[in-house]
Amino acid sequence: MENQNEELQKKVEKLEFEVSEMKKKLDFLLTRETVLKQNDIQQKEKISMTPTKPVQKVVKQNTTTPKEKIDFEALIFQKWLPRFFIFIFIIGIMWGFKAASDYGVLNEYAKVGIGFAFAILLFWYGNRQVQAKRVTLGQTLLGGILPVLFLTTFAMHHLYNMIGSNVAFLLQVLWVGVGFYFMNKYKSEAIGLISIIGAVLIPFLIKSAAPNYLFFAFYETSIYLLFMFYAAFKKYKYLYSTSAILLNLVYIVVGLLNFNLKGFEYFAFSIIIQHFGLLIILLISKFSKKKQILMLHTSFIFTIGWVFSGYEDNTRTIILILLCVSYLFLSNFYKKQSDLFFAFSTNFLLAFSFLCLDSVTVHLLNTVLIIQAILTYLFYIRYRDFFKLIIASLTIVPVGIRIVSEPIFSLISFTSMDWIVFIIATITISIIAYKNEKEKHAILVSSSLVITLLLIAYITQAVQILTTDLSDNVISLTINLSWIIISIIAMVLGSLKKFKVWTYIGVGLLLLTLCKLVLVDLPNITLLVRAGLFILLGLIGLIISRIFFKGK
């Protein structure tokens, strides 16, 4: 009995021990699960608290800006047609006045009164159009006021003798002032263009038995400087160009109409002032530098022409020296600004060339004009202004024709120097054109042919001068040898520079020498000279063929 109780007690203790162990394991598992859950919750909270970056779709932007479409309907019907038909309308009014005058319907006072009334009507209606946001039509009508006022005042003075010259001049200047006011108020470049064209015509609309050229030059200079500075300030490119160009045109027309040089010294001084005005605008304004530099160079060419036309030797020399000093100083001062340095240095070289022409001899004219043509062509290459190419062509082509048409009688002469300068200039222009233009092959072929012909012509004349006292055999031999040397040089340069054109020109010149020898020189040279030339030509031809065969 006691043994059974002891076994039962041992089993109970064993069961209690196993229950205790199981309880410990269960507590451990429960604790571990709790910790894992807490860690999981904390991790989710961290993830939720961190800001998520939105997924952005990469959209490839089109870098090429679409071309702005031109609204031709608005351009034609809103801009150009009103300007065209206001001109037609004014012409119709003038013819109507003429018809009414022919039939005796209107007298002079009525026509003048209608002219001013019509100008007032245009102002009233044009101003209403501007206020109604129809700006183009309104500006066109306002611009039409000026021709009406100009023509009405002209009729009062010139046709009907109602007013004298002084009153007519004051009225015309007043209308130009009205145009300037309208241009500024309505911000219309077109009104400014009409005003400045009217300012051109004013001196021609005034009757005067004894023209005052000093007053005329003062008036024109003041008007054009005013419009030119205003155009640069407002960045009106057409008004700026017109103001710079028309002043020269006015003086040229006056000179052609008078058939003399009266007043040219005042005109020249006026052009000099205008040129320095352009220079000041270039230095202080923010207007297009390219356009201003081109205009400054063109103005300088005209200025040089007016200086030579308007002043005598001493005064002309002083002005040229001042221009040289001014542009030399500006070239040095603006040497770090490439565009300004280019503009000022080329003007300095041009001024210095004409100073040499004025101080040394007039025989340097061809050389100076060639220098001008090269400098103008450099402006074309740099800024691609077609007008500069026209000026350069119109300068160098006539000068070149004049040079090649004058035979050389002495190697130490201005004629010989002109030939050399022209050949060097042709080579220079050819190199510049070949490096900067697209049509390289055409430029290479044409320039090579021209340069070869010029070299042949000059060297032939030089040989004839050097061998004047020798026999005909020696002269023919020397000329042929000089041509052969040119052909060899052309072929060698063609081979070295890989320009086949030069090689072909060399071969062609060699064949030309052979033709000249057979057709021209053969009857007049001795057998010995004939044999020597044929042997030399044959050897050169064989050597060339061998070189080409080896190269292949």
Side-chain angles (χ1 to χ4, degrees), residues 50-150:
T50 55
T52 58
K53 294 183 179 180
V55 179
Q56 296 179 351
K57 293 183 178 180
V58 179
V59 180
K60 187 176 180 181
Q61 295 181 351
N62 189 9
T63 56
T64 59
T65 57
K67 292 184 178 180
E68 184 179 353
K69 293 184 178 179
I70 300 175
D71 189 352
F72 288 101
E73 184 175 341
L75 183 66
I76 295 173
F77 291 100
Q78 296 181 16
K79 190 172 183 179
W80 293 112
L81 278 186
R83 295 175 181 177
F84 175 73
F85 282 109
I86 190 66
F87 177 71
I88 298 297
F89 183 68
I90 292 174
I91 292 178
I93 293 292
M94 292 172 57
W95 284 347
F97 278 171
K98 182 67 169 61
S101 179
D102 292 341
Y103 289 104
V105 176
L106 297 175
N107 59 21
E108 294 122 0
Y109 296 98
K111 286 184 281 188
V112 170
I114 291 174
F116 285 115
F118 182 61
I120 295 172
L121 178 63
L122 285 176
F123 171 71
W124 171 77
Y125 192 64
N127 193 47
R128 284 193 59 184
Q129 297 303 312
V130 172
Q131 292 176 355
K133 307 300 181 182
R134 291 184 284 271
V135 179
T136 304
L137 178 59
Q139 290 178 351
T140 303
L141 295 172
L142 292 169
I145 296 173
L146 299 176
V148 173
L149 292 175
F150 287 139

Side-chain angles (χ1 to χ4, degrees), residues 336-347:
K336 294 183 179 180
Q337 300 184 31
S338 60
D339 284 339
L340 294 181
F341 176 76
F342 177 78
F344 297 151
S345 59
T346 47
N347 282 359

Side-chain angles (χ1 to χ4, degrees), residues 105-301:
V105 176
L106 297 175
N107 59 21
E108 294 122 0
Y109 296 98
K111 286 184 281 188
V112 170
I114 291 174
F116 285 115
F118 182 61
I120 295 172
L121 178 63
L122 285 176
F123 171 71
W124 171 77
Y125 192 64
N127 193 47
R128 284 193 59 184
Q129 297 303 312
V130 172
Q131 292 176 355
K133 307 300 181 182
R134 291 184 284 271
V135 179
T136 304
L137 178 59
Q139 290 178 351
T140 303
L141 295 172
L142 292 169
I145 296 173
L146 299 176
V148 173
L149 292 175
F150 287 139
L151 292 173
T152 303
T153 307
F154 170 75
M156 290 173 64
H157 167 60
H158 204 279
L159 299 180
Y160 308 138
N161 295 318
M162 294 181 182
I163 54 177
S165 300
N166 295 332
V167 176
F169 179 78
L170 291 175
L171 285 175
Q172 298 285 28
V173 173
L174 176 63
W175 308 145
V176 174
V178 170
F180 189 88
Y181 171 76
F182 285 166
M183 173 183 64
N184 184 56
K185 180 179 179 180
Y186 298 104
K187 297 179 176 58
S188 173
E189 186 178 10
I191 296 178
L193 290 171
I194 296 173
S195 301
I196 201 168
I197 293 172
V200 173
L201 297 175
I202 285 176
F204 302 99
L205 301 180
I206 306 298
K207 288 190 298 185
S208 179
N212 188 336
Y213 293 107
L214 176 60
F215 181 78
F216 172 69
F218 174 78
Y219 160 76
E220 294 288 350
T221 306
S222 303
I223 289 290
Y224 281 102
L225 284 178
L226 173 65
F227 277 91
M228 195 168 65
F229 274 90
Y230 183 85
F233 176 72
K234 291 291 186 179
K235 298 181 181 180
Y236 290 158
K237 58 181 181 179
Y238 297 113
L239 183 61
Y240 172 81
S241 302
T242 305
S243 303
I245 295 171
L246 280 184
L247 184 60
N248 289 276
L249 183 61
V250 169
Y251 293 150
I252 292 173
V253 171
V254 171
L256 293 175
L257 291 178
N258 293 336
F259 297 103
N260 57 48
L261 299 180
K262 287 183 178 180
F264 267 42
E265 64 274 16
Y266 304 128
F267 301 163
F269 187 69
S270 171
I271 296 297
I272 293 172
I273 293 175
Q274 186 209 39
H275 179 73
F276 280 101
L278 290 169
L279 178 60
I280 292 171
I281 291 173
L282 172 62
L283 296 177
I284 67 174
S285 74
K286 296 181 180 179
F287 191 44
S288 171
K289 293 294 181 184
K290 173 185 174 182
K291 192 171 190 65
Q292 289 193 73
I293 288 172
L294 293 171
M295 186 59 67
L296 183 73
H297 181 70
T298 305
S299 169
F300 190 70
I301 295 174

Side-chain angles (χ1 to χ4, degrees), residues 514-549:
L514 179 61
C515 292
K516 174 179 176 298
L517 180 61
V518 173
L519 300 177
V520 179
D521 299 332
L522 198 61
N524 301 319
I525 58 177
T526 62
L527 183 62
L528 181 62
V529 175
R530 189 184 310 171
L533 285 174
F534 270 82
I535 291 171
L536 180 61
L537 285 171
L539 285 174
I540 293 174
L542 291 173
I543 292 171
I544 292 171
S545 301
R546 175 60 181 165
I547 291 173
F548 274 93
F549 181 78

